[in-house]
């Protein structure tokens, strides 16, 4: 293999990425080297790389890109159970392994957490980003074996490069205890998170999936996936809570997955909360920033919950891969628009 490789790097916040020739990394004893075959383009990247948000960018110039999938090209001398040639997805979530949360087996709450090739959540995240400095918009990248999801032949590299958003939806559905017979509502069903949540909820056995969004074409396509299980509402056509209760025997849904994005109005989320069943769970995964006025007494008397969920574990990624292998998660519904690295 050549000693050099191409990598898309961020040199200045808010400026286009540049394709640079850099030295190809060597895996350390406990790491592997991945030949990247596909990497997702995250819609939020322009906002993050603007440098105007709270997120802590890696040291510049920075090799960027998360949601990478590829083939193991080389393994460190201490690596076991991973072989050269394995097809994998690289979970970019970095955790320190030593903080109070990591030692309590809660790496998703790590006080140094970062996304490889993207940003850190805290100032002290920088050392994790320095330890794994290459993102998925590189021809090669290093990763720890603990973050690899083995891909079956039924999952293409392009499909695996969507695991970040799909996995975020999966973790939220699991947090809402979705299973056979669940009734689920999805606010923002026509977005990336919402489409993934629909495909997963079908595979997890939900019997009623009620989604609301703005794109009428996508609403129709989602309903067509399972007309007897999926129903959709174009926002503005009817009040959300009334529409949900009409379709749930006036009880409401067990789970609300809220995909409202950063700049969305909180009004739809607030109305959707009124469509929750007593004892129901609402899970926000869309990074809604507008303040949400709630009545605590209703949450008390109806025993409802509102919580957040951010990203997913490698174990959850492996479950998704298995669901796709046996066909209960139908990734063929997703379409990809590929770009060569040179056009990033």
């Amino acid at each position: 293999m050549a000693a050099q490789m191409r990598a898309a790097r961020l040199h200045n916040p808010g400026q286009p990425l540049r394709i640079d020739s850099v030295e190809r990394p060597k895996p350390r004893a406990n790491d592997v080297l991945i030949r990247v075959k596909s990497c997702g383009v995250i819609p939020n990247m322009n906002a993050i790389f603007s440098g105007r948000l709270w997120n802590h960018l890696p040291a510049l110039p920075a090799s960027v890109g998360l949601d990478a999938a590829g083939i193991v090209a080389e393994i460190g001398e201490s690596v076991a159970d991973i072989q050269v040639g394995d097809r994998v997805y690289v979970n970019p979530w970095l955790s320190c392994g030593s903080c109070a949360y990591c030692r309590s087996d809660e790496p998703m709450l790590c006080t140094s957490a970062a996304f490889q090739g993207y940003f850190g959540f805290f100032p002290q995240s920088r050392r994790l980003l320095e330890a794994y400095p290459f993102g998925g918009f590189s021809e090669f990248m290093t990763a720890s074996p603990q973050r690899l999801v083995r891909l079956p032949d039924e999952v293409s590299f392009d499909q695996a490069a969507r695991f970040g958003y799909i996995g975020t939806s999966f973790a939220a559905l699991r947090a809402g205890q979705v299973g056979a017979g669940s009734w689920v509502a999805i606010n923002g069903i026509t977005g990336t998170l919402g489409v993934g949540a629909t495909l997963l909820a079908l595979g997890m056995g939900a019997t009623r999936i009620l989604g609301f969004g703005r794109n009428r074409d996508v609403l129709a396509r989602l309903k067509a996936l399972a007309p007897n299980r999926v129903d959709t509402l174009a926002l503005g056509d009817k009040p959300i809570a009334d529409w949900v209760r009409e379709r749930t025997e006036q009880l409401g849904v067990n789970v609300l997955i809220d995909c409202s994005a950063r700049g969305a109005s909180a009004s739809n989320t607030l109305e959707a909360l009124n469509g929750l069943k007593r004892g129901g769970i609402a899970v926000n995964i869309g990074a809604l920033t507008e303040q949400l006025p709630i009545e605590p007494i209703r949450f008390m008397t109806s025993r409802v919950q509102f919580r957040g969920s951010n990203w997913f574990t490698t174990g959850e990624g492996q479950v998704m891969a298995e669901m796709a292998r046996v066909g209960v998660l139908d990734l063929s519904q997703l379409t990809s628009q590929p770009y060569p690295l040179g056009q990033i």
Side-chain angles (χ1 to χ4, degrees):
M1 289 184 287
Q4 298 290 110
M5 70 172 186
R6 292 181 304 153
R9 298 201 297 175
L10 178 69
H11 286 254
N12 297 291
Q15 297 299 310
L17 304 180
R18 300 183 202 169
I19 305 299
D20 297 332
S21 179
V22 299
E23 185 176 350
R24 180 173 57 82
K26 290 283 294 181
R28 293 170 298 190
N30 292 306
D31 290 335
V32 301
L33 181 70
I34 309 296
R35 182 190 294 271
V36 178
K37 303 296 287 185
S38 186
C39 184
V41 177
I42 307 304
N44 199 37
M45 274 188 168
N46 278 339
I48 297 295
F49 292 159
S50 72
R52 296 193 296 266
L53 303 181
W54 59 267
N55 313 78
H56 299 273
L57 295 177
L60 302 179
S63 169
V64 296
L66 73 165
D67 272 345
I71 299 172
V72 176
E74 190 176 338
I75 60 174
E77 59 187 21
S78 299
V79 173
D81 299 324
I82 299 292
Q83 304 296 324
V84 171
D86 284 351
R87 303 173 71 255
V88 297
Y89 163 80
V90 182
N91 189 336
W93 186 267
L94 299 172
S95 56
C96 71
S98 59
C99 70
Y101 295 105
C102 286
R103 285 185 282 108
S104 299
D105 200 26
E106 292 283 357
M108 306 306 293
L109 299 176
C110 175
T111 56
S112 297
F115 283 121
Q116 181 177 352
Y118 204 22
F119 68 84
F121 288 86
F122 310 98
Q124 62 269 26
S125 302
R126 180 67 64 88
R127 62 189 182 89
L128 293 180
L129 293 169
E130 291 173 349
Y132 292 98
F134 290 98
F137 296 157
S138 304
E139 292 179 310
F140 293 89
M141 63 187 298
T142 54
S144 61
Q146 295 89 344
R147 294 191 286 117
L148 300 183
V149 174
R150 277 198 174 97
L151 299 176
D153 291 339
E154 291 82 359
V155 178
S156 71
F157 292 123
D158 285 355
Q159 290 169 342
R162 307 288 285 274
F163 267 24
Y165 275 83
I166 300 171
T168 296
S169 298
F170 186 47
L173 291 164
R174 284 166 62 100
Q177 303 171 26
V178 170
S182 294
W183 298 353
V184 180
I186 303 172
N187 182 25
I189 195 171
T190 56
T192 308
L193 290 168
V195 170
T198 304
L199 297 175
L200 286 158
L202 287 169
M204 295 166 76
T207 52
R208 301 189 193 186
I209 302 169
L210 308 178
F212 17 100
R214 302 189 186 281
N215 188 319
R216 293 179 183 271
D217 177 60
V218 176
L219 289 172
R221 291 170 61 189
L222 289 168
K223 183 173 176 58
L225 292 175
N228 61 333
R229 296 169 66 189
V230 178
D231 205 353
T232 58
L233 171 71
L235 288 170
D237 282 1
K238 288 185 178 180
I240 293 172
D242 292 348
W243 179 81
V244 168
R245 292 190 178 277
E246 286 172 4
R247 283 152 181 78
T248 55
E249 302 161 30
Q250 297 301 316
L251 292 173
V253 291
N254 304 99
V255 181
L256 166 66
I257 304 299
D258 182 36
C259 305
S260 301
R262 178 185 292 109
S265 169
S267 59
N268 291 330
T269 299
L270 190 62
E271 190 176 352
L273 284 171
N274 291 325
L276 266 181
K277 195 175 187 178
R278 290 172 63 85
I281 303 173
V283 187
N284 176 265
I285 55 175
L288 178 69
T289 54
E290 185 175 305
Q291 290 190 356
L292 188 68
I294 62 173
E295 297 176 289
I297 189 171
R298 184 201 163 211
F299 282 71
M300 178 192 77
T301 57
S302 297
R303 300 175 67 90
V304 296
Q305 303 176 43
F306 185 87
R307 59 167 296 177
S309 181
N310 183 30
W311 211 246
F312 62 102
T313 67
T314 300
E316 288 170 326
Q318 198 63 63
V319 173
M320 291 193 304
E322 177 66 7
M323 291 174 66
R325 185 185 71 81
V326 300
V328 295
L329 173 57
D330 185 5
L331 296 178
S332 69
Q333 298 296 331
L334 303 175
T335 56
S336 297
Q337 169 123 21
Y339 297 89
L341 181 59
Q343 293 182 14
I344 196 65

